[in-house]
């Protein structure tokens, strides 16, 4: 079966979180700063595209960023806890579509989307992930999809922001040969300088070097890796390094509705799907949430945290119904999509069994 790997990257994550929290910043250059212990010093953690148009870049010193800024530029001190919270919500949505996730940073992850139906099914999953992240959290992300980590990472850079770029097996050579050697994973400025001295600046030119020559230049491990990478070969596996923090399911209603009976019917099905997912990973949970998407695509979330873990489907349905009724009492808005989310997991000490679950 053809391996299919995606690299998901949340666009200018810290800055996008700040725009989400303060919409009045939209259209202005926004620079998020990671300060140091010295006053008025620090480095740029990230910035939006308006700031990048001023040639401000991640990793740049605060003093240089200020020199490049204009009168409309907004500098914001990084709020790590807020970004961690938003990241957790993003990965909670990703978990619904993919069980093998390797989180490589707060805003980036590899997903193993290998399946019998091939790229068509994987593209569908990527589109759904992007849709849910933007509709439920207001964040955009860019995804590269290909046959391995290397090409997926390179593909994710092709259509930023809010892009989805696919490179199938037959397209790998034509895709990477035009790239500069600096685009190859692990090949930084110093290594690129060594290659430049050899007259090598593109991946196509890199392919002309024999493996022994690359080993001579970079050592056996890195030289061999660059030889393989120049040919689009990368056998690195997805290292599943995180546990699910939440589980959720969403459903689009047949028509925009304000009928509590219709929504309760959908809610029952969603509760069953979510509860079965939690049983599979052997967890119980304290927090239940209902997610409402309005016809205008506004997202409203109501949550309730209990003192004791929920262990039965009936208890989950009861709490979710209470949350739905609370929303209906407060709002006259119709509902387009409905979702159930459970979180605040702990180990399963034994799901509540029904009478007929016990063997005689």
């Amino acid at each position: 079966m053809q391996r299919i790997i995606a690299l998901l990257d949340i666009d200018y994550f810290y800055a996008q979180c700040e725009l989400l929290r303060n919409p009045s910043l939209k259209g202005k250059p926004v620079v998020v700063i990671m300060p140091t212990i010295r006053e008025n010093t620090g480095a740029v953690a990230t910035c939006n595209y308006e700031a990048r148009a001023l040639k401000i870049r991640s990793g740049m010193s605060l003093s240089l960023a200020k020199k490049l800024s204009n009168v409309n530029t907004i500098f914001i001190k990084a709020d790590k806890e807020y970004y961690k919270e938003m990241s957790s919500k993003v990965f909670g949505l990703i978990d619904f579509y993919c069980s093998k996730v390797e989180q490589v940073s707060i805003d980036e992850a590899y997903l193993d989307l290998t399946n019998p139906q091939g790229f068509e099914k994987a593209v569908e999953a990527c589109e759904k992930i992007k849709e849910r992240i933007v509709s439920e959290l207001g964040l955009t992300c860019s995804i590269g999809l290909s046959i391995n980590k290397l090409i997926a990472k390179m593909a994710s850079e092709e259509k930023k922001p809010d892009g989805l770029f696919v490179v199938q097996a037959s397209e790998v050579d034509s895709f990477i040969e035009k790239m500069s050697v600096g685009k190859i994973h692990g090949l930084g400025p110093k290594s690129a300088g060594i290659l430049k001295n050899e007259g090598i600046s593109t991946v196509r030119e890199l392919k002309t070097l024999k493996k022994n020559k690359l080993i001579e230049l970079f050592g056996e491990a890195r030289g061999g890796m660059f030889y393989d990478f120049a040919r689009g070969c990368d056998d690195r596996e997805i290292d599943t390094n995180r546990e699910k923090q939440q589980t959720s399911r969403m459903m689009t209603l047949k028509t925009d509705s304000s009928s509590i009976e219709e929504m309760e019917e959908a809610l029952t099905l969603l509760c069953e799907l979510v509860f079965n997912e939690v049983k599979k990973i052997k967890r119980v949970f304290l927090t239940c949430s209902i997610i409402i998407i309005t016809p205008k695509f506004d997202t409203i979330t109501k949550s309730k945290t209990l003192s004791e873990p929920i262990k039965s489907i009936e208890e989950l349905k009861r709490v979710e119904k209470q949350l739905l009724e609370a929303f209906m009492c407060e709002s006259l808005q119709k509902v387009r999509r409905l979702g159930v989310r459970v979180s605040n997991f702990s180990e399963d000490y034994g799901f509540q069994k029904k009478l007929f679950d016990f063997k005689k």
Side-chain angles (χ1 to χ4, degrees), residues 188-243:
K190 185 177 179 180
S191 298
I194 293 172
L195 289 172
K196 187 175 181 180
N197 291 335
E198 299 289 328
I200 304 296
S201 60
T202 68
V203 175
R204 180 181 285 110
E205 293 167 343
L206 181 60
K207 287 177 71 174
T208 66
L209 290 185
K210 294 187 180 299
K211 191 172 186 178
N212 287 343
K213 180 62 176 179
L214 286 169
I215 290 174
E216 177 188 321
L217 291 171
F218 301 107
E220 188 168 354
R222 296 181 71 235
M225 181 179 73
F226 292 157
Y227 180 85
D228 290 338
F229 282 5
R231 289 156 178 77
C233 301
D234 180 10
D235 59 3
R236 290 176 297 161
E237 295 291 333
I238 296 292
D239 177 17
T240 307
N241 58 0
R242 58 184 302 278
E243 291 187 0

Side-chain angles (χ1 to χ4, degrees), residues 220-279:
E220 188 168 354
R222 296 181 71 235
M225 181 179 73
F226 292 157
Y227 180 85
D228 290 338
F229 282 5
R231 289 156 178 77
C233 301
D234 180 10
D235 59 3
R236 290 176 297 161
E237 295 291 333
I238 296 292
D239 177 17
T240 307
N241 58 0
R242 58 184 302 278
E243 291 187 0
K244 285 191 174 187
Q245 302 300 311
Q246 61 182 29
T247 295
S248 62
R249 286 278 185 151
M250 295 289 297
M251 176 184 293
T252 301
L253 302 179
K254 293 179 181 178
T255 59
D256 298 345
S257 177
S258 57
S259 166
I260 194 165
E261 291 81 11
E262 183 178 345
M263 283 183 275
E264 282 182 354
E265 183 179 345
L267 203 65
T268 296
L269 176 58
L270 291 167
C271 285
E272 290 171 353
L273 293 171
V274 166
F275 194 78
N276 286 334
E277 284 291 319
V278 175
K279 284 181 70 175

Side-chain angles (χ1 to χ4, degrees), residues 15-16 19 29 33 55 72 84 93 106 124 141 168 192 200 222 229 248 283 293 295 298 312 316 326 341 347:
Q16 198 178 176
L19 288 163
I33 298 297
K55 301 190 183 305
N72 295 317
K84 286 179 183 177
L93 294 177
I106 193 171
E124 182 183 330
C141 65
Q168 300 205 35
I200 304 296
R222 296 181 71 235
F229 282 5
S248 62
R283 294 290 186 271
I293 309 293
D298 295 326
S312 73
L316 173 60
R341 181 173 66 218
E347 293 292 333

Side-chain angles (χ1 to χ4, degrees), residues 331-344:
S331 176
L332 298 176
Q333 295 185 80
K334 289 188 174 182
V335 175
R336 176 184 176 84
R337 299 188 72 202
L338 192 64
V340 167
R341 181 173 66 218
V342 298
S343 56
N344 205 348

Side-chain angles (χ1 to χ4, degrees), residues 27-299:
K28 299 177 182 178
V30 175
V31 183
V32 177
I33 298 297
M34 202 65 71
T36 65
I37 57 174
R38 295 182 180 180
E39 189 175 356
N40 296 320
T41 63
V44 176
T46 191
C47 57
N48 65 357
Y49 282 83
E50 287 82 357
R52 293 179 195 187
L54 301 173
K55 301 190 183 305
I56 298 174
R57 294 290 184 270
S58 298
M60 181 180 286
S61 68
L62 174 59
S63 58
L64 179 54
K66 285 187 173 180
K67 288 178 182 178
L68 295 171
S69 66
N70 60 24
V71 293
N72 295 317
T73 305
I74 307 296
F75 290 89
I76 300 173
K77 181 180 176 181
D79 183 348
K80 293 182 182 179
E81 291 307 311
Y82 170 50
Y83 307 146
K84 286 179 183 177
E85 178 186 350
M86 293 301 295
S87 174
S88 178
K89 291 178 180 179
V90 169
F91 281 96
L93 294 177
I94 293 171
D95 284 338
F96 173 70
Y97 295 96
C98 182
S99 59
K100 293 185 69 175
V101 178
E102 179 182 342
Q103 185 173 353
V104 293
S105 69
I106 193 171
D107 61 350
E108 193 174 33
Y110 288 105
L111 321 179
D112 189 337
L113 297 175
T114 305
N115 71 91
Q117 287 77 44
F119 272 89
E120 184 177 349
K121 189 72 174 177
V123 168
E124 182 183 330
C126 290
E127 289 173 340
K128 287 180 178 179
I129 290 170
K130 285 172 60 63
E131 178 190 346
R132 286 194 62 182
I133 292 174
V134 75
S135 66
E136 296 181 29
L137 302 176
L139 298 170
T140 64
C141 65
S142 296
I143 300 179
L145 188 69
S146 193
I147 59 173
N148 57 42
K149 285 183 171 182
L150 171 73
I151 309 301
K153 171 66 174 175
M154 295 171 80
S156 71
E157 302 288 334
E158 286 295 295
K159 286 192 175 181
K160 283 181 170 288
D162 197 20
L164 171 57
F165 194 79
V166 181
V167 181
Q168 300 205 35
S170 61
E171 302 167 327
V172 168
D173 285 343
S174 61
F175 173 68
I176 64 170
E177 284 186 349
K178 62 185 179 182
M179 299 286 187
S180 67
V181 292
K183 294 287 187 180
I184 290 182
H185 173 79
L187 204 157
K190 185 177 179 180
S191 298
I194 293 172
L195 289 172
K196 187 175 181 180
N197 291 335
E198 299 289 328
I200 304 296
S201 60
T202 68
V203 175
R204 180 181 285 110
E205 293 167 343
L206 181 60
K207 287 177 71 174
T208 66
L209 290 185
K210 294 187 180 299
K211 191 172 186 178
N212 287 343
K213 180 62 176 179
L214 286 169
I215 290 174
E216 177 188 321
L217 291 171
F218 301 107
E220 188 168 354
R222 296 181 71 235
M225 181 179 73
F226 292 157
Y227 180 85
D228 290 338
F229 282 5
R231 289 156 178 77
C233 301
D234 180 10
D235 59 3
R236 290 176 297 161
E237 295 291 333
I238 296 292
D239 177 17
T240 307
N241 58 0
R242 58 184 302 278
E243 291 187 0
K244 285 191 174 187
Q245 302 300 311
Q246 61 182 29
T247 295
S248 62
R249 286 278 185 151
M250 295 289 297
M251 176 184 293
T252 301
L253 302 179
K254 293 179 181 178
T255 59
D256 298 345
S257 177
S258 57
S259 166
I260 194 165
E261 291 81 11
E262 183 178 345
M263 283 183 275
E264 282 182 354
E265 183 179 345
L267 203 65
T268 296
L269 176 58
L270 291 167
C271 285
E272 290 171 353
L273 293 171
V274 166
F275 194 78
N276 286 334
E277 284 291 319
V278 175
K279 284 181 70 175
K280 287 178 185 177
I281 60 173
K282 297 181 179 179
R283 294 290 186 271
V284 290
F285 49 91
L286 289 171
T287 302
C288 305
S289 304
I290 189 169
I291 304 163
I292 306 288
I293 309 293
T294 71
K296 293 183 178 181
F297 294 97
D298 295 326
T299 301

